[in-house]
Amino acid sequence: MAKAAVLLPRQEMQQMAADLIVQYPNLSPFCIEYTHTDAACQRAIRLQNDGCELILARGLQAALIQRAVRLPVIAITATAQEVGVLVACCKRELGLPDPKIGLIAFENMLGDTSRFDELFGVELCRYTLPDTQETDTSACLAALVDRALQEGCRAVIGGDVVCTRAETLGLPHYFLASGRESLQNAFAIADRVAYAIDLEKRARAEMNTMLDFTFSGILQIDAEGVIRRGNRVLYNILDKHPEDLIGRPVQEALPQLRTELLDKALRRGEEAYAILLPIEGHTVVVNIAPIRLENQIRGAILTFQEGRRITEISGELRRELYRRGFVARARFDRLPVQDTAMQEILEKARQIAQYPVPVLLTGEIGTGKRMLAQCLHNESPNRANAFVELDCSAYQPDSLDTLLFGSYSTRADAPACLAEAAQNGTLYLAHIEALSPELQFKILQLIGGKIWRNGASQPAQTTVRVVASSNADLPALLREGLFRSDLYYALNVLSLALPPLRARRADILPWADRYLAEAQDQYKRYVSLTNGAREFLQHCDWPDNLDQLRSVCERTVLLAPRRSVDEVFLRGQLRELTPAAPALAETAVMPQPGLDPRAARIRQALQAAGGDRQKAADALGISKTTLWRQMKKLDITYK
């Protein structure tokens, strides 16, 4: 429960607040007290220093406190009903037809009053200050009272400062109190904020525990490569004190770490696995994972494991440690697939998964080849063993060779290579076309059950299932002599071609719903797509497939100005994310950036039909009436 302080401008509000706050399970009352506006900031600072985690206040006090402390501040907003009661009372006591009444407050105190003139038979004039007002706020409120009087207001409604000034001017005034409804609204918001605070505290405690008790050394760097945090295991592995690392560029502290690997993580958001570093006379296995926030790379996490420890412990525990870094998460039954053709592909993949033979996955970038490789592993008899993945295009041939096959050694502490880590499991090789001829031969041997460690005179026996993927034209590379024919046919015994997202439109909305749900759960922001927005997603061609769709969904959750998201907002996000117009499937008509891609299809159909709308409608699979409506909606004319 979050410790919440409630600061109120009137003493009579205290008991009501005390009775209501107990109804909210995530709020722990730190104090509920009357506070004069002049003392509100100092009181808030003391509360922050004493461990308070959340403050509720009203109007001017809330605005002042928000600038004085780092804590979340929830403004208690007057409801329309509470304002309406005062307006009706004011009119009745003035006894005038259509009296002019001034409503003076901070913007954070008021809701919608646009229909009050009509409802109550008054001329209600709003005079408000922004919540961010930083000058003498009391004087500004008093000046608004003077202005209301000059502009003919017969009475004013507002807080303490407004009423005090109005009394000085002899102007009838009514205090805008916060009743049960406004307090309930504020407590409901505070309860949700408190829940988020609890989650953050729990996550911080769990993270500290994991950092201190994990087998791995963990190092956090920022976007500039400066070390910000490490754990106890890391300092032991590197034999360094925290003050020798914190605040230093990571490449000064670890000159053995290759610059290009770090740049790939911090500049391009690419992960790197099983980097072998010689440190203080022993080998350390390092993994690098970028930290993403708001679609930007904000740093990276580096994990360190001692090579000697990994190779000296039993094979079963070694596989367990590797699985912690190389784990297959995707499963067939969790994929939101609705397209009939894609369902048939997945059914074929389920059958393939049962047999320990190589699999070749092909398709455009972003079609889900990596997820499908994980599904194949998790559906296989070897699902309990390691799933090791490697992007062959991310390394130079020599580095790739070392990563995959290591170096031959008779020493017991010789570090394990990725091919050994995948023993009795799955080795997934993305961008298989990037392998050098020598590595193509070694992979062919690995498929045959032999592992050639560098420097060894004889291969060792092994059992590794190889799953490879490519978005290149492998047959063309084969004809040009750039890819071994025996490796191609060995991989292609069982193959799966994943269609692009534009060819399986039934999958677009299910995937969008999944990505939106994941982003909403991660960022605790919630959106709802209008029918028009969902229709826009459905008809986009998504040239970069699931990667592009996921990015748009995440941007939508992070940037949506309101909960309801329409197609106009989505079109803008897509345009910002991909300045060039998305390519349309099987058409030479290119829409302008941000325009609905359906327009290009309709124009193409009309052109092919020579302007005959019935033929065009038949080609599009819609009625002539529907075609006419879409042409009107999309502002399409054809002559």
Side-chain angles (χ1 to χ4, degrees):
M1 299 173 67
K3 301 173 184 176
V6 185
L7 303 182
L8 301 167
R10 292 292 176 97
Q11 292 181 341
E12 59 266 25
M13 298 168 63
Q14 288 180 252
Q15 187 58 51
M16 182 189 303
D19 293 339
L20 289 174
I21 197 171
V22 296
Q23 301 174 18
Y24 298 88
N26 297 306
L27 296 178
S28 174
F30 196 75
C31 69
I32 300 174
E33 61 188 39
Y34 159 74
T35 302
H36 193 275
T37 300
D38 294 339
C41 288
Q42 290 302 318
R43 178 56 179 151
I45 293 171
R46 287 197 300 272
L47 288 169
Q48 177 178 260
N49 295 338
D50 291 341
C52 179
E53 298 170 298
L54 176 66
I55 296 178
L56 291 89
R58 206 184 83 132
L60 176 57
Q61 292 189 12
L64 294 172
I65 291 171
Q66 206 159 26
R67 296 193 291 271
V69 299
R70 299 183 305 274
L71 302 178
V73 179
I74 307 300
I76 302 171
T77 303
T79 66
Q81 178 177 319
E82 291 167 344
V83 176
V85 168
L86 287 177
V87 169
C89 179
C90 181
K91 179 185 179 183
R92 184 170 57 252
E93 294 189 11
L94 289 173
L96 299 172
D98 301 323
K100 191 172 185 178
I101 301 171
L103 179 59
I104 304 173
F106 275 83
E107 290 176 354
N108 66 359
M109 281 189 62
L110 302 176
D112 183 18
T113 58
S114 59
R115 303 296 295 276
F116 274 33
D117 291 7
E118 177 184 345
L119 291 171
F120 297 101
V122 299
E123 184 182 349
L124 186 65
C125 300
R126 285 175 59 130
Y127 302 90
T128 60
L129 289 179
D131 307 346
T132 55
Q133 178 78 30
E134 294 186 0
T135 54
D136 188 345
T137 49
S138 296
C140 290
L141 287 171
L144 289 180
V145 178
D146 295 345
R147 177 182 163 190
L149 180 61
Q150 292 170 4
E151 294 180 358
C153 289
R154 307 299 296 271
V156 293
I157 298 171
D160 278 329
V161 173
V162 171
C163 292
T164 300
R165 179 59 179 168
E167 187 170 356
T168 301
L169 298 174
L171 184 65
H173 53 275
Y174 299 85
F175 179 73
L176 181 56
S178 294
R180 174 177 294 271
E181 186 180 2
S182 59
L183 285 173
Q184 285 176 327
N185 291 343
F187 283 146
I189 296 172
D191 191 65
R192 292 192 291 272
V193 174
Y195 177 70
I197 292 172
D198 288 342
L199 287 180
E200 183 181 355
K201 289 191 295 185
R202 189 184 314 161
R204 192 183 304 121
E206 292 172 352
M207 178 60 68
N208 288 336
T209 301
M210 286 191 292
L211 287 175
D212 288 337
F213 291 95
T214 181
F215 284 109
S216 302
I218 296 178
L219 183 69
Q220 179 185 348
I221 60 176
D222 62 19
E224 303 303 320
V226 176
I227 298 172
R228 296 304 179 194
R229 188 176 188 180
N231 70 342
R232 177 166 43 86
V233 179
L234 172 79
Y235 303 133
N236 291 337
I237 291 176
L238 301 183
D239 193 23
K240 293 182 181 292
H241 294 287
E243 55 267 26
D244 297 330
L245 296 174
I246 305 301
R248 292 183 59 193
V250 66
Q251 288 185 291
E252 286 186 12
L254 295 171
Q256 308 92 327
L257 189 62
R258 287 166 43 203
T259 302
E260 58 266 29
L261 292 178
L262 202 60
D263 286 344
K264 283 183 178 181
L266 295 178
R267 306 293 172 247
R268 292 155 53 184
E270 296 181 8
E271 301 170 352
Y273 295 105
I275 305 162
L276 303 181
L277 293 184
I279 296 177
E280 301 297 331
H282 60 280
T283 300
V284 174
V285 180
V286 182
N287 300 323
I288 305 177
I291 302 171
R292 293 181 176 85
L293 180 64
E294 296 181 351
N295 210 32
Q296 294 182 354
I297 307 301
R298 299 301 178 93
I301 297 293
L302 286 72
T303 61
F304 297 72
Q305 292 176 316
E306 290 184 89
R308 180 179 293 114
R309 180 181 302 172
I310 293 174
T311 54
E312 287 180 350
I313 55 183
S314 70
E316 182 61 29
L317 182 54
R318 182 181 67 187
R319 287 194 295 274
E320 174 64 20
L321 289 175
Y322 267 103
R323 278 210 309 276
R324 293 181 181 179
F326 306 111
V327 60
R329 294 179 174 83
R331 298 180 181 276
F332 284 115
D333 55 1
R334 297 177 185 171
L335 299 182
V337 174
Q338 299 295 326
D339 180 77
T340 303
M342 192 63 189
Q343 288 175 342
E344 292 175 359
I345 292 173
L346 294 185
E347 186 58 34
K348 182 180 178 182
R350 285 179 182 270
Q351 297 174 356
I352 289 175
Q354 303 304 315
Y355 305 103
V357 294
V359 180
L360 178 62
L361 308 176
T362 60
E364 295 179 4
I365 291 176
T367 49
K369 297 185 289 294
R370 179 172 176 264
M371 280 188 293
L372 187 54
Q374 294 182 12
C375 292
L376 288 167
H377 175 79
N378 282 329
E379 193 77 4
S380 74
N382 295 326
R383 66 181 67 90
N385 295 316
F387 174 84
V388 180
E389 60 180 286
L390 183 66
D391 186 345
C392 301
S393 67
Y395 301 89
Q396 295 297 324
D398 289 345
S399 301
L400 195 58
D401 196 354
T402 302
L403 281 173
L404 280 169
F405 299 104
S407 299
Y408 176 75
S409 175
T410 57
R411 294 170 50 193
D413 62 349
C417 59
L418 294 188
E420 288 181 333
Q423 173 76 16
N424 296 321
T426 301
L427 175 64
Y428 169 54
L429 300 174
H431 299 288
I432 190 75
E433 73 276 3
L435 291 178
S436 66
E438 294 78 12
L439 281 175
Q440 291 180 33
F441 170 77
K442 287 188 174 183
I443 293 299
L444 180 63
Q445 294 294 301
L446 186 65
I447 291 172
K450 298 176 182 179
I451 177 172
W452 282 90
R453 296 198 70 173
N454 294 327
S457 58
Q458 295 292 329
Q461 295 297 312
T462 188
T463 302
V464 175
R465 182 185 196 174
V466 175
V467 177
S469 69
S470 176
N471 61 298
D473 186 354
L474 289 181
L477 296 177
L478 190 67
R479 291 190 296 271
E480 296 171 12
L482 300 176
F483 199 85
R484 293 180 64 104
S485 60
D486 47 2
L487 177 58
Y488 174 79
Y489 292 116
L491 290 170
N492 207 27
V493 172
L494 294 175
S495 62
L496 295 168
L498 276 65
L501 199 54
R502 60 184 175 273
R504 44 184 169 118
R505 294 192 178 276
D507 287 347
I508 293 177
L509 290 180
W511 276 110
D513 290 337
R514 172 168 169 168
Y515 291 147
L516 287 169
E518 289 175 353
Q520 289 175 131
D521 184 65
Q522 179 179 356
Y523 301 115
K524 306 304 175 188
R525 297 191 83 230
Y526 302 94
V527 299
S528 175
L529 300 183
T530 65
N531 290 335
R534 296 180 70 84
E535 188 175 354
F536 175 79
L537 292 177
Q538 180 81 48
H539 288 90
C540 279
D541 281 317
W542 305 109
D544 293 318
N545 298 294
L546 293 174
D547 294 340
Q548 186 182 25
L549 177 61
R550 181 171 197 155
S551 184
V552 168
C553 290
E554 190 170 14
R555 284 173 63 93
T556 297
V557 171
L558 289 169
L559 302 178
R562 60 186 65 85
R563 181 158 187 162
S564 180
V565 174
D566 60 15
E567 63 270 30
V568 175
F569 179 83
L570 287 179
R571 187 178 292 111
Q573 296 308 304
L574 184 60
R575 185 166 52 245
E576 290 182 18
L577 189 64
T578 53
L584 296 175
E586 301 176 354
T587 177
V589 182
M590 301 293 291
Q592 297 177 13
L595 295 183
D596 195 318
R598 291 173 297 175
R601 294 194 196 90
I602 292 174
R603 290 192 182 96
Q604 185 186 32
L606 287 167
Q607 185 178 5
D612 188 318
R613 293 187 180 182
Q614 185 60 59
K615 290 182 179 180
D618 293 342
L620 293 168
I622 58 178
S623 69
K624 186 176 179 181
T625 301
T626 301
L627 174 61
W628 177 82
R629 288 174 179 167
Q630 291 188 3
M631 290 177 64
K632 185 176 180 181
K633 179 179 180 180
L634 299 171
D635 193 24
I636 296 173
T637 58
Y638 189 88
K639 297 181 180 180

